[in-house]
Amino acid sequence: MTTFIDARTSQNASLANSIAIPILVINTPQLFGQLGLQTVGAGTNPRVQFKGTISVQVPLALAGITITIVRGTLSTDPVIYSATSTFNLSVLAPQIITFSADDFNPPITPQLTYTAFVSSNLLGTIRVGPENFDGFIVSD
């Protein structure tokens, strides 16, 4: 039987167009969410599941936006998920990117920290909101 252990939410911006954070360095991860999940009571086969949303305004050029989730706090920590969305030249409105990720059988420590980053391959990309990142851990 699956046992619920913990759940957390990181809500950086709740509303559309509620922030205007430019991505100033190409292909450099910028933090937009972080979770610390408690693991007390975790049994065998721990699993962490995540979901999130980020909205960006891209310049009128071919832009690639990458979402990366790491187990830890630094962009150089172990990557557990990475995906790139590419937007074409005719996109004028903010683009909403949603994602879902899993970390199966992570090492059990008193707390597991996960950090979500966003990067762009093009200057002129602006994070406009909403932005959220949430996750939960269960085990057998």
Side-chain angles (χ1 to χ4, degrees), residues 16 39 79 122 134:
T39 61
V79 174
L122 194 61
D134 57 78

Side-chain angles (χ1 to χ4, degrees), residues 107-126:
I108 295 300
T109 58
Q111 176 175 290
L112 291 169
T113 301
Y114 293 91
T115 307
F117 295 95
V118 62
S119 61
S120 176
N121 67 353
L122 194 61
L123 288 179
T125 302
I126 301 171

Side-chain angles (χ1 to χ4, degrees), residues 36-88:
L37 296 170
Q38 302 297 309
T39 61
V40 175
T44 59
N45 300 318
R47 317 174 284 285
V48 182
Q49 294 183 336
F50 307 97
K51 65 180 175 55
T53 300
I54 186 167
S55 185
V56 294
Q57 178 70 56
V58 295
L60 287 176
L62 191 61
I65 307 300
T66 301
I67 304 298
T68 305
I69 300 173
V70 301
R71 187 184 315 118
T73 59
L74 304 173
S75 61
T76 54
D77 285 333
V79 174
I80 63 152
Y81 175 85
S82 182
T84 300
S85 295
T86 303
F87 301 100
N88 67 30

Side-chain angles (χ1 to χ4, degrees), residues 15-17 19 21 32 53-58 67 93-98 125-132:
L15 305 172
N17 297 310
I19 58 175
I21 302 171
F32 76 90
T53 300
I54 186 167
S55 185
V56 294
Q57 178 70 56
V58 295
I67 304 298
Q95 299 303 300
I96 299 172
I97 301 167
T98 60
T125 302
I126 301 171
R127 297 167 39 204
V128 295
E131 293 182 353
N132 75 297

Side-chain angles (χ1 to χ4, degrees), residues 59-61 87-93:
L60 287 176
F87 301 100
N88 67 30
L89 303 175
S90 64
V91 173
L92 295 176

